[in-house]
Amino acid sequence: MITCFIRYEIDPFKKDAFAEYARNWGHAIPRNGADLIGYFAPHEGSATTAYGVYNIESLAAYEAYRARLAADPLGRENYEFARRERFILKEDRIFLKNVSLPHAVKVLP
């Protein structure tokens, strides 16, 4: 299992558009084969940094998933929405593997 972290630089005056974009992926990503952890928008601190995070089995599975997402009606619509509204200024993608597993059980103080 690998985790895809997408770091976005967004227009701080178009946070609502980014939130709509994120909610759309909340439907399209899972139905096309990735385990969506979530989209995270600015709350405190930076007004321009946002993230999307999901798990996928492998890079090969990622390639197939991306093809399905590009063919998905909501996926296509969401890509077009981002292009048209220009709220994403920059996007970087990195794949990481969780190497700290298994974790201990959380202990409450």
Side-chain angles (χ1 to χ4, degrees):
M1 185 70 62
I2 56 176
T3 304
C4 179
F5 290 83
I6 309 168
R7 182 181 181 275
Y8 296 95
E9 181 181 333
I10 63 171
D11 182 327
F13 300 103
K14 296 183 177 181
K15 286 192 248 180
D16 290 341
F18 181 80
E20 181 179 341
Y21 174 80
R23 284 189 301 273
N24 290 338
W25 286 137
H27 295 281
I29 288 174
R31 78 171 175 230
N32 282 284
D35 176 24
L36 181 63
I37 295 168
Y39 271 74
F40 302 86
H43 176 70
E44 186 69 31
S46 171
T48 60
T49 303
Y51 292 91
V53 184
Y54 60 88
N55 292 315
I56 194 118
E57 187 178 309
S58 65
L59 287 176
Y62 169 75
E63 293 301 328
Y65 152 79
R66 291 286 292 193
R68 287 189 303 273
L69 197 60
D72 182 275
L74 181 56
R76 285 194 315 270
E77 184 179 308
N78 217 28
Y79 287 130
E80 175 57 27
F81 172 59
R83 188 198 64 72
R84 183 179 64 248
E85 298 299 321
R86 302 169 111 29
F87 50 86
I88 297 173
L89 307 176
K90 184 177 178 185
E91 179 179 331
D92 295 308
R93 187 174 269 103
I94 187 171
F95 295 89
L96 301 173
K97 182 175 178 118
N98 188 340
V99 296
S100 65
L101 294 173
H103 298 151
V105 174
K106 179 180 172 182
V107 177
L108 297 176

